[in-house]
Amino acid sequence: MSDLDTWWRDVGNAALLGTARRPVPPLPDLGRAGVLASAEGRPREEALLDAAALGGAALRAGRRLEHADPPDAAPDDRRPVAPRLAVQLLELVMTQPPAGAAQRTGLLVHWLQAADDSGCRVPHALLPTLLALATGARELRRPTAAVLDERGRWLAGLRDEWSWVEGAAAGAEARTASRTEGTPPDPDEWARLPSPDRIAVLAGVRAHDPGAARELVRLTWSTDSARDRRAHLEALRIGLGPDDESLLEVGLDDRAGTVREAAAELLDALPDSARAARMAARLRPLVRRTGLLGRGVEVTLPDEPDPAALRDGLGKPPPRRSARGWWLEQICAGAPLDIWVELAGADPSATLKRLTDAQATDVLAGIRRAARSRRDPEWAAALLERGWDAALVPALPREPRERVVLRRVDATSERAHEIGAVVGSVDPPWSADFSVALVSRLRASKVGSTMVVASMPHLLAGLHPAALDPLERWIESTGADQILLTNLRNLLQFHSVKRSITEAFR
Amino acid sequence: MTRWTSQQVAGLAPDASSLAAARRLARPGPWSDTGSTETLLWGKCQGSGKTPYQVSIDLTGPAFRCSCPSRKFPCKHGLALLLLWVDGSGSVADAAEAAGFALEWAAERSARAGAKAAGDAARPTRTPDPVAAAKRLEERLALMDDGMDDFARWLTDLARSGTAAARHQSYAWWDGTAARLVDAQLPGLADDVRSVGGAVSGRPDWAERLLVALGRWWTATRAWSARASLDEAQLGDLRAYLGWSTTTESVRRADAVTDRWLVLGAHRTDDGRLQQQRTWLRGAATRETVQVLDFAAGGQVLPVARVVGSSLDATLARYPGAAVRRALFVDEPAVADSGVGMPSGASLEDARSAAAEAWGLNPWARRIPVVLSDVRVGVDRVVDGDGASVALTDDADVWSLLALTGGGPARLFGELEESRLRPLTVVVDGEVVGL
């Protein structure tokens, strides 16, 4: 400690207690600085204030710089920055969401995925804002992590609040590769991937190469947890086919009930499988034609299942269901639908009409499930004739599907709040014709405003750009309904910005 | 004229929402009759109303005019037009002749400037009554003398009873002292007392801060009683600290210098009551760095920020002072060049000694402008090539800095305040970015 440091410390102590109790330390020799000590006989307090002034000046001007190791620099980025126009759109969406704050996340996800698909990264200047937004909205995290590149990951590593990036970025590459090119990760990487990323990778690979995805599931089947095994089976729903049967049969013998259930449910969707044939064999003795002309159909409840039936899913019923009724439903859901034509001797529509006895509810529930999981258009159409069921709509081919839904939209004008479920039954993105027809129906409806509000999420996700012009004309002509106007404007903005984003990455 | 960068346009926005609104408008759709010459940029923007808004921009100021009713300045239309022009995709074409409404406005402007110049020239003839002025000055000095004596007594009392006792005083005690200083027409000193008084109870390093503040206040009382021996520059710095303002008219008359000024950086603060904008400028010939201060209170709007990294041809009048001088624009500056970058910087050690020298000349200077070269930014400090390091101020936008520099060496402009640095501008890949 130098003389000056000691002196300054003593000055500090004297100041704390006050000069009434402490003397002021004499100034050390400052050599060339040529500072003169306070004159003899000056009041103590003035000497202290002089010392404070001097010390303050010395402290400010004379403080030595600290030394520190230079901080670690970020590695070089590997991707090119997003195109300029796209960057402007990102800034716009982040700072002033064009379709209202509620729609910001949707647009951001679209931007981030478009950037990832074209192999771009976020410009450095926008990283802090994007990271802050994704910290607040979980659904942004994975798409964000995919386009941060080295600089962004490095930056996130410096701040505790952004520590989620490390986890989200780990599987980002594998996810991107599987989504854009269907490339499966190598076995080691697959084994190390966190569960949510595996699901995303499976979905990606499955869309391109179902066999490769199935191999991934097999690869770690023996070591995966029951929860993962179930989730992986669920992922096979994409592109499900006869080749998956053997793995699903393995699933039927799984030690975990949840996995067995998932396997059985997937096998329901394969009418040519061995399990479907076993179910058909169980169903045949239960169905009998009645009446003189054989136009009635009577179904009896099945008996206690044998071990083989138990394995096929005729297990414990859900709460408040009769066990035998449940088994009947399971059998009907698993058996090929064609068997009804054989057993009832009529087409689907007529068969359904003949099912009127006490067991009809369970049988219909099973047939419904079968039609849904197999996307059987004929049976779905026949069932829909009898009553609306949004879950059956996707089984129809595009044209009848959209026709059925539009008809339902007309019929729903009394119960406008149900419209969401109705239009939601058509997978986004919608066709141009359907989008335009839907907009014109909403516009013509007396309760169009309520309907728009109720179906907003689906309109945002599904509407085809071809509907934007009619939408704009609707906005121009609409009157004082502010809620409707705001919603329509948001809708229009959302889609036009979304389209601009897509174009900006081209 | 070379078109600007969108970064520079962003720097002109009065707030983030105006900029965002402008970005939405910066597409060809709503615009018609656009064009630009060397000095003017104009266009019509279709808003919600029937007639489109007429937007004219004088690129040399920059100055804006828009027929919209917005109270923001510049409004989103002006910013959007600039963005569209910067974009360079051909939506704003170069023209030989400006559109009628833009020309009219430009003519009005130059006429006004001429009239103002004439008015300024005419004004000195209306000299106020010198006798009355002298009497007012005498009264003020007497008031300040009494206030300073009172303050010196308060300081010696505090020294006698100790800072530990002072720490236990309520804020009202500090505020009372500050109020007496305000009454004695020493508002600058009063602000300092309030801010130190407010920080004393909460900070772990309060003892040294208070001690240093006591030294500073004591120096002020001693300097005031010895003011007859101070030269004009020293007195100017002391006046600025005490809050005895110098009229802009007397500044204008005194020490004007014409130069090409590079906009080094700017900082805005808003304490809810008063908005302040500090712009640092460096003269190409004089090599002096000065600060221009703008204030806005209540519903007022701060003037448009200068584009960081651009050069202005302007005459600046400097307030009396020895170092880190304040200045004001004598007339509206003309943009000479919109993208020269930053001057080469110094090491931290050199910057520190330059700061020490400046503080030697002007002990009241709160912050010293420095340009640093090849410094690496860490989460709470910067480190230069020699391994010397200085901590960042709490309000530094460290995440933007880190994102932009990636921990690599960069040139920075900032303010040294006490022993910390507030970065205001960073140069990345040759691009000047205001923080």
Side-chain angles (χ1 to χ4, degrees):
Chain A
M1 209 182 234
S2 73
D3 287 353
L4 197 65
D5 286 327
T6 321
W7 169 77
W8 181 241
R9 193 194 58 205
D10 292 346
V11 170
N13 288 337
L16 269 178
L17 295 172
T19 51
R21 279 183 276 176
R22 279 286 174 101
V24 181
L27 189 68
D29 183 12
L30 291 177
R32 284 192 306 125
V35 176
L36 301 176
S38 306
E40 286 289 322
R42 287 194 66 191
R44 270 187 184 184
E45 46 273 25
E46 290 192 11
L48 178 78
L49 291 166
D50 283 349
L54 187 62
L59 207 60
R60 183 154 76 161
R63 199 190 305 255
R64 293 232 173 84
L65 288 169
E66 297 161 28
H67 276 70
D69 290 332
D72 289 332
D76 287 339
D77 283 322
R78 285 182 285 179
R79 296 171 162 215
V81 69
R84 199 175 47 88
L85 201 59
V87 170
Q88 284 175 7
L89 284 162
L90 176 61
E91 275 187 284
L92 169 70
V93 173
M94 289 199 302
T95 52
Q96 178 98 352
Q103 261 47 269
R104 175 161 66 189
T105 304
L107 284 174
L108 274 178
V109 167
H110 182 74
W111 193 97
L112 295 167
Q113 261 165 12
D116 191 24
D117 287 348
S118 51
C120 296
R121 63 169 170 83
V122 174
H124 296 153
L126 299 182
L127 286 169
T129 319
L130 179 62
L131 285 168
L133 283 172
T135 302
R138 282 184 172 276
E139 58 270 49
L140 285 175
R141 292 186 174 186
R142 286 175 187 282
T144 295
V147 294
L148 290 177
D149 211 345
E150 296 291 348
R151 177 72 58 90
R153 287 193 286 273
W154 170 86
L155 183 67
L158 298 173
R159 192 174 192 180
D160 287 346
E161 289 153 60
W162 296 339
S163 58
W164 55 265
V165 169
E166 203 189 336
E173 253 169 70
R175 280 203 313 275
T176 303
S178 66
R179 190 175 80 247
T180 55
E181 280 134 43
T183 322
D186 68 55
D188 287 346
E189 197 189 352
W190 165 256
R192 276 196 311 269
L193 276 181
S195 300
D197 294 307
R198 282 182 165 198
I199 305 302
V201 166
L202 272 185
V205 176
R206 188 78 182 168
H208 292 86
D209 182 355
R214 190 171 53 243
E215 281 320 298
L216 288 175
V217 178
R218 278 192 199 279
L219 213 54
T220 48
W221 184 262
S222 57
T223 48
D224 284 336
S225 69
R227 181 201 286 249
D228 283 351
R229 290 198 302 278
R230 181 189 167 95
H232 293 169
L233 285 189
E234 300 277 4
L236 297 183
R237 204 179 288 277
I238 303 166
L240 190 71
D243 293 343
D244 297 315
E245 192 184 342
S246 60
L247 179 58
L248 295 174
E249 284 283 345
V250 172
L252 285 180
D253 291 320
D254 202 272
R255 57 185 182 280
T258 52
V259 179
R260 293 196 298 272
E261 217 169 81
E265 216 184 296
L266 283 164
L267 281 166
D268 280 349
L270 297 174
D272 299 321
S273 65
R275 178 177 173 273
R278 295 195 292 273
M279 287 300 200
R282 287 179 194 113
L283 182 60
R284 234 174 236 118
L286 305 178
V287 183
R288 181 166 77 79
R289 285 195 221 173
T290 56
L292 280 175
L293 296 171
R295 286 205 179 144
V297 175
E298 202 178 83
V299 187
T300 40
L301 287 168
D303 289 328
E304 286 287 330
D306 56 18
L310 205 61
R311 175 177 177 272
D312 277 340
L314 270 58
K316 200 166 162 276
R320 286 187 292 282
R321 280 290 298 272
S322 91
R324 296 176 73 193
W326 167 245
W327 296 330
L328 182 59
E329 181 187 324
Q330 288 285 79
I331 291 170
C332 293
L337 285 162
D338 292 344
I339 197 174
W340 289 103
V341 181
E342 171 200 323
L343 296 176
D347 65 3
S349 181
T351 306
L352 292 175
K353 282 195 195 103
R354 291 176 193 181
L355 285 166
T356 50
D357 67 358
Q359 269 57 260
T361 320
D362 294 327
V363 172
L364 281 172
I367 291 178
R368 209 177 280 277
R369 275 172 49 195
R372 207 184 293 161
S373 65
R374 292 166 207 169
R375 298 206 161 209
D376 188 312
E378 212 183 338
W379 284 88
L383 285 161
L384 278 166
E385 271 168 35
R386 295 164 53 91
W388 173 254
D389 179 355
L392 283 168
V393 173
L396 298 176
R398 190 179 69 81
E399 219 179 314
R401 178 179 1 155
E402 294 177 353
R403 203 172 49 235
V404 164
V405 169
L406 286 175
R407 211 182 307 133
R408 183 68 186 172
V409 169
D410 293 337
T412 318
S413 59
E414 304 294 302
R415 299 178 303 278
H417 57 278
E418 286 174 13
I419 186 89
V422 174
V423 298
S425 63
V426 184
D427 293 345
W430 297 336
S431 72
D433 291 349
F434 179 68
S435 302
V436 172
L438 181 62
V439 167
S440 90
R441 274 184 167 72
L442 291 175
R443 186 176 170 180
S445 167
K446 279 198 212 85
V447 287
S449 177
T450 324
M451 285 178 135
V452 167
V453 175
S455 54
M456 199 62 181
H458 303 291
L459 290 171
L460 287 166
L463 216 58
H464 189 275
L468 298 188
D469 279 344
L471 205 56
E472 210 160 350
R473 284 199 298 275
W474 187 1
I475 290 174
E476 277 160 20
S477 70
T478 199
D481 189 341
Q482 280 306 317
I483 296 173
L484 177 64
L485 210 53
T486 311
N487 274 297
L488 290 179
R489 281 218 185 99
N490 283 348
L491 193 57
L492 185 66
Q493 280 286 358
F494 180 90
H495 282 286
S496 59
V497 171
K498 197 171 163 184
R499 186 165 53 176
S500 307
I501 291 173
T502 310
E503 280 164 6
F505 278 104
R506 245 173 229 153
Chain B
M1 176 160 198
T2 47
R3 299 198 171 184
W4 305 352
T5 67
S6 53
Q7 196 78 41
Q8 289 173 319
V9 180
L12 296 173
D15 51 43
S17 69
S18 299
L19 183 59
R23 287 216 170 92
R24 280 208 280 171
L25 276 175
R27 55 194 167 86
W31 291 92
S32 58
D33 297 337
T34 59
S36 68
T37 64
E38 284 288 297
T39 52
L40 281 174
L41 170 61
W42 63 90
K44 290 182 182 171
C45 182
Q46 185 64 52
S48 47
K50 214 175 266 168
T51 24
Y53 298 126
Q54 295 181 347
V55 190
S56 317
I57 300 167
D58 183 341
L59 295 166
T60 56
F64 295 84
R65 209 261 317 246
C66 179
S67 57
C68 80
S70 168
R71 278 179 301 169
K72 295 263 178 73
F73 192 78
C75 67
K76 60 183 177 182
H77 306 105
L79 291 170
L81 183 56
L82 270 177
L83 285 171
L84 204 61
W85 173 68
V86 164
D87 177 50
S89 60
S91 26
V92 182
D94 287 327
E97 176 86 343
F101 64 90
L103 263 185
E104 259 170 48
W105 173 66
E108 273 170 35
R109 254 173 70 75
S110 61
R112 261 206 310 274
K116 187 160 173 283
D120 285 348
R123 203 165 298 148
T125 55
R126 289 183 277 115
T127 14
D129 180 358
V131 181
K135 188 158 177 289
R136 274 202 303 277
L137 179 64
E138 201 181 314
E139 281 168 8
R140 175 168 188 144
L141 286 174
L143 204 58
M144 289 171 82
D145 278 336
D146 287 349
M148 275 302 203
D149 287 347
D150 178 43
F151 187 54
R153 259 194 309 283
W154 180 81
L155 282 173
T156 48
D157 286 348
L158 202 164
R160 197 175 305 118
S161 52
T163 52
R167 191 192 186 204
H168 290 113
Q169 296 283 1
S170 69
Y171 181 71
W173 183 73
W174 299 95
D175 196 45
T177 304
R180 287 201 303 281
L181 288 170
V182 171
D183 291 345
Q185 303 215 318
L186 297 159
L189 194 52
D191 279 347
D192 198 6
V193 169
R194 278 201 183 99
S195 99
V196 170
V200 152
S201 61
R203 297 181 62 121
D205 61 343
W206 69 273
E208 188 168 85
R209 283 178 68 89
L210 179 53
L211 184 56
V212 169
L214 290 179
R216 182 166 66 237
W217 297 337
W218 181 245
T219 311
T221 64
R222 307 304 286 170
W224 179 254
S225 54
R227 68 179 181 276
S229 66
L230 300 180
D231 64 28
E232 199 200 347
Q234 289 169 328
L235 189 61
D237 287 330
L238 178 62
R239 276 183 71 152
Y241 173 65
L242 297 178
W244 180 7
S245 59
T246 314
T247 62
T248 54
E249 259 171 60
S250 68
V251 175
R252 260 175 222 281
R253 275 199 305 272
D255 187 21
V257 51
T258 303
D259 201 344
R260 176 159 293 189
W261 300 93
L262 172 65
V263 182
L264 292 173
H267 184 60
R268 278 187 176 195
T269 55
D270 183 356
D271 64 2
R273 198 169 45 90
L274 186 72
Q275 290 171 271
Q276 203 200 100
Q277 176 172 275
R278 190 157 67 232
T279 311
W280 294 97
L281 302 160
R282 175 184 307 217
T286 54
R287 307 213 146 257
E288 189 185 349
T289 302
V290 297
Q291 53 178 331
V292 172
L293 301 182
D294 297 299
F295 302 93
Q300 288 176 312
V301 180
L302 280 173
V304 177
R306 304 285 162 188
V307 178
V308 172
S310 69
S311 284
L312 312 169
D313 281 330
T315 304
L316 283 174
R318 291 172 297 181
Y319 285 70
V324 200
R325 293 175 73 177
R326 183 181 166 190
L328 56 82
F329 288 105
V330 174
D331 44 28
E332 192 51 33
V335 177
D337 187 345
S338 50
V340 259
M342 282 280 123
S344 60
S347 69
L348 273 172
E349 185 54 46
D350 289 345
R352 193 201 60 83
S353 40
E357 203 170 304
W359 274 317
L361 290 169
N362 175 7
W364 317 112
R366 283 197 61 190
R367 38 189 93 86
I368 312 286
V370 291
V371 183
L372 302 169
S373 55
D374 292 338
V375 288
R376 291 165 185 273
V377 180
V379 278
D380 58 353
R381 56 182 55 253
V382 297
V383 181
D384 72 3
D386 305 327
S389 126
V390 58
L392 295 171
T393 52
D394 294 335
D395 60 357
D397 185 2
V398 65
W399 302 110
S400 288
L401 262 179
L402 285 166
L404 287 165
T405 63
R411 193 178 298 173
L412 275 186
F413 168 75
E415 302 166 337
L416 272 183
E417 197 171 277
E418 297 189 18
S419 57
R420 304 216 269 174
L421 177 75
R422 175 182 298 112
L424 299 182
T425 307
V426 60
V427 185
V428 191
D429 300 332
E431 201 186 337
V432 181
V433 184
L435 294 167

